Amino acid sequence: MIKRRYTMKRGIIINVVLMVLILVFAIISMNSGKMNLSPLEVLNVLIGNGTDKQNLIVFDFRLPRIVLSILVGLGMGAAGVVMQSLLRNDMASPGTLGISSGSGLFVLFFVVFIASTGKSSFIALPLLAFVGGLLAAGLIFLLSYRRGRDISPIGLILTGVALGSGYGALTTFLTLKLDDSQMNFMLYWLAGSLWGDDWGYISILTPWVLILLGYIFYKARILDALHLGNQTAQGLGVSVKRQFLGLSIAAVALSSGSVAVGGSFFFVGLIAPHMARKLVGPDHKLLIPAASLAGGLVVVLADTITRTVSLVGDVPTGIVITVISVPYFLYLLAKAK
């Protein structure tokens, strides 16, 4: 009991530290960029004493991008935790299961067939991405299902990788219909560009992410049981199929909404849960917020780097995330061996 209390207290402290780090990098990010603002100038803007130019820089350019970075990181981190726990596989993520590819395909449908007709809206894109992710997940489970047998986590991942390749081929085919501006948009989206830094998109994504995060956190004990195996969970009184379905849909919705307005950030959903598990352990009451905050911290940090460091051209945030994450991921693989 004493050890559990110590672990819980330590986990809470770590989550608070992650929140503080996100706040610190958000402040640094508001002060950084091609048009530098001093901390005092940013403070003046936040309290309503900024000039028109300073207000434009902070409220129209920087703050929406920072908020979007945090939301995308929160969503992808939590989605990765759910998928890894449900499938009991540390390699599971929206990217490896092909869900991000399915969402991306429907984002491309939006760009080709809806945005070009002038019928675009702030709601249509996230909903289409969710439908694409949900259809991709449903197809994966359908192809992996065997009557009278539990679904194999390895089988799900392999099926997801195969379907992800198919979605990629179809995406490449559809790009032949794009003009130059649409092609540039898709290339930046695939590379992980925080393109949806508009308060309209953020107003849709914020309740989407927060409500689903609340639902997943509410199911933390269920995830603890499911992570032990279906038979153990059933022995503890968990309705495995119903809970598995509900949590799967929540994870798909989180990842799809995040990638719709934030670009393809599947690496965050893979690496953030690993980082959080190292910090707070397997208890989902600590792991879910830690993975979400770790995801938010990674995206904010990467975006701050792209806007602060002088790089060649406009480098998408997703490329910087990959550069940051790959060494840590290789370290995890080496340690596992």
Side-chain angles (χ1 to χ4, degrees), residues 98-110:
I99 294 170
S100 293
S101 299
S103 297
L105 180 60
F106 273 65
V107 169
L108 181 57
F109 285 156
F110 174 86

Side-chain angles (χ1 to χ4, degrees), residues 134-326:
L134 195 61
L135 289 176
L139 188 57
I140 292 167
F141 284 110
L142 182 65
L143 293 175
S144 303
Y145 177 75
R146 297 292 182 271
R147 184 182 293 273
R149 296 169 58 185
D150 289 337
I151 295 177
S152 167
I154 298 297
L156 277 175
I157 291 176
L158 292 176
T159 304
V161 170
L163 287 176
S165 299
Y167 299 142
L170 187 55
T171 298
T172 302
F173 173 76
L174 284 175
T175 53
L176 299 176
K177 294 178 62 66
L178 301 180
D179 57 31
D180 290 341
S181 62
Q182 291 172 331
M183 177 66 79
N184 287 334
F185 171 81
M186 283 308 300
L187 288 175
Y188 272 91
W189 184 91
L190 290 170
S193 174
L194 289 163
W195 71 272
D197 52 349
D198 183 287
W199 288 117
Y201 285 114
I202 293 171
S203 66
I204 297 297
L205 185 61
T206 299
W208 185 291
V209 169
L210 295 182
I211 291 172
L212 290 169
L213 272 177
Y215 170 78
I216 289 173
F217 183 75
Y218 176 71
K219 296 291 184 178
R221 290 189 181 276
I222 301 295
L223 280 167
D224 285 334
L226 292 173
H227 189 60
L228 297 174
N230 292 345
Q231 291 183 343
T232 303
Q234 286 176 340
L236 295 172
V238 176
S239 177
V240 173
K241 290 184 179 179
R242 182 167 60 87
Q243 298 293 348
F244 190 98
L245 179 62
L247 286 164
S248 297
I249 292 175
V252 171
L254 263 178
S255 59
S256 299
S258 298
V259 301
V261 297
S264 185
F265 285 94
F266 76 90
F267 226 123
V268 178
L270 180 64
I271 208 71
H274 286 276
M275 297 169 62
R277 205 171 281 112
K278 290 284 185 183
L279 292 171
V280 302
D283 187 341
H284 283 82
K285 278 196 171 181
L286 299 172
L287 181 59
I288 292 168
S292 302
L293 292 169
L297 180 60
V298 168
V299 180
V300 170
L301 174 60
D303 186 56
T304 303
I305 291 173
T306 61
R307 294 192 300 104
T308 304
V309 180
S310 179
L311 299 170
V312 179
D314 186 13
V315 179
T317 306
I319 293 177
V320 178
I321 290 175
T322 303
V323 172
I324 294 173
S325 302
V326 164

